[in-house]
Amino acid sequence: MYIPDQRLKDAWVLGKPIQLLALTAIYLYFVKKLGPQLMEKRKPLEIKKIMMAYDILQVVLNAYVSWEALLSLLKGNWRCNAIDYSDDPFALRQLWIGKCYFWLKILDLLDTVFFVLRKSYRQISFLHLYHHSVMLLGMWYGVTYFCGGDSLWVACVNGFVHTIMFLYYFLAAYDASWKNNLTVKKTLTQIQLVQFLFFTLKFSQLFIQKDCMYPKIASILFVPQNLFMSALFMDFYLKSYVYKVKKS
């Protein structure tokens, strides 16, 4: 039976399910009810510069987390990296990377808040809300119980993908030609789909490999969820860039 990582006992939210559920509930309540009510009789806020600063912050932080995770993984074994729950400096460094990555998932919630403040409700789709909510819940569970080892592949790859995405968001806000570039938007979705494929293959390999001490339960939980996300993003990709093009 797995127990919460005792090294997180003083961390904010991590290891504390009540705080996590409260944060998630507040987020969903604001973006689905309170926010739209507050903005109902107000004009969309002009927050372009704030969003651009936010995008740059996300680029820097995601690049940092991705790079740190990669450096840690390079010191390990490409086939299997077990989780070290000790207070060894290297293990604590991996824990720090995991914590930073989780905090980035909290920061990601501002995406939706900005949509509400700009009254861009069309962008608050099921995929958007599900993705942000599940990433927050899933990464809380992952960092709380399985921080380190091959779990860092998530921070490494997803952090890299988010670096590219937020760089695009910044460029799109700076120059409208980027925002309207269908090829770039299509490529970004393809990168996300490749990411899901990599995670499915990697964590399936960790599950199948008998001599790997990485927790099997992590793969059992992560692979099905990853496949579901793949299906959602593939549906979005087909509707946005395949069927729509054929109709036009």
Side-chain angles (χ1 to χ4, degrees):
M1 180 178 180
Y2 295 98
I3 61 173
D5 194 324
Q6 296 303 298
R7 298 172 299 175
L8 294 170
K9 61 182 180 181
D10 296 323
W12 179 63
V13 181
L14 286 165
K16 302 170 181 64
I18 300 301
Q19 292 183 12
L20 171 73
L21 293 175
L23 177 62
T24 307
I26 291 170
Y27 164 69
L28 292 174
Y29 177 71
F30 177 82
V31 300
K32 293 297 291 182
K33 188 171 183 179
L34 180 60
Q37 286 180 346
L38 293 174
M39 294 301 298
E40 185 176 5
K41 297 181 180 180
R42 292 180 170 87
K43 294 182 179 180
L45 298 185
E46 294 293 334
I47 53 175
K48 180 178 178 179
K49 291 183 178 179
I50 294 176
M51 292 178 63
M52 290 176 70
Y54 167 76
D55 292 337
I56 289 297
L57 177 64
Q58 284 275 22
V59 168
V60 172
L61 294 179
N62 275 283
Y64 165 75
V65 168
S66 179
W67 178 250
E68 286 292 328
L70 177 61
L71 291 179
S72 179
L73 288 165
L74 288 174
K75 295 178 181 179
N77 187 310
W78 286 94
R79 293 180 66 248
C80 174
N81 292 287
I83 300 172
D84 184 353
Y85 293 99
S86 73
D87 289 328
D88 176 81
F90 183 64
L92 291 176
R93 187 64 182 175
Q94 291 190 325
L95 182 67
W96 165 251
I97 296 169
K99 288 163 66 176
C100 288
Y101 180 68
F102 172 73
W103 291 330
L104 280 177
K105 298 307 105 183
I106 296 179
L107 186 63
D108 286 350
L109 302 182
L110 285 178
D111 283 351
T112 325
V113 174
F114 290 148
F115 288 154
V116 172
L117 297 179
R118 294 169 58 227
K119 302 182 78 169
S120 299
Y121 302 127
R122 183 180 61 84
Q123 293 178 280
I124 308 177
S125 62
F126 169 77
L127 174 58
H128 177 90
L129 285 178
Y130 181 84
H131 178 62
H132 280 303
S133 300
V134 168
M135 282 298 291
L136 181 65
L137 296 170
M139 292 309 104
W140 177 90
Y141 187 82
V143 176
T144 297
Y145 291 90
F146 311 116
C147 190
D150 277 314
S151 297
L152 292 183
W153 280 112
V154 180
C156 179
V157 177
N158 188 250
F160 174 72
V161 171
H162 275 71
T163 300
I164 298 174
M165 287 173 54
F166 280 103
L167 179 59
Y168 163 74
Y169 295 152
F170 173 81
L171 293 172
Y174 180 77
D175 185 345
S177 64
W178 282 92
K179 183 178 181 180
N180 300 322
N181 192 316
L182 190 64
T183 301
V184 174
K185 295 165 73 173
K186 182 178 179 179
T187 302
L188 284 173
T189 308
Q190 290 173 339
I191 291 173
Q192 289 176 306
L193 288 169
V194 171
Q195 168 193 226
F196 294 133
L197 175 61
F198 171 79
F199 286 149
T200 299
L201 294 175
K202 178 59 184 176
F203 284 87
S204 294
Q205 172 254 313
L206 293 173
F207 177 77
I208 295 171
Q209 188 175 332
K210 293 183 178 180
D211 61 344
C212 181
M213 297 304 293
Y214 183 80
K216 303 297 184 185
I217 186 63
S219 294
I220 292 173
L221 294 172
F222 188 61
V223 171
Q225 167 58 26
N226 192 66
L227 289 172
F228 183 59
M229 287 300 301
S230 299
L232 290 178
F233 271 81
M234 179 58 75
D235 179 67
F236 169 79
Y237 178 81
L238 292 174
K239 289 179 179 178
S240 300
Y241 308 117
V242 178
Y243 300 148
K244 185 178 290 186
V245 173
K246 288 182 178 180
K247 289 181 180 179
S248 61

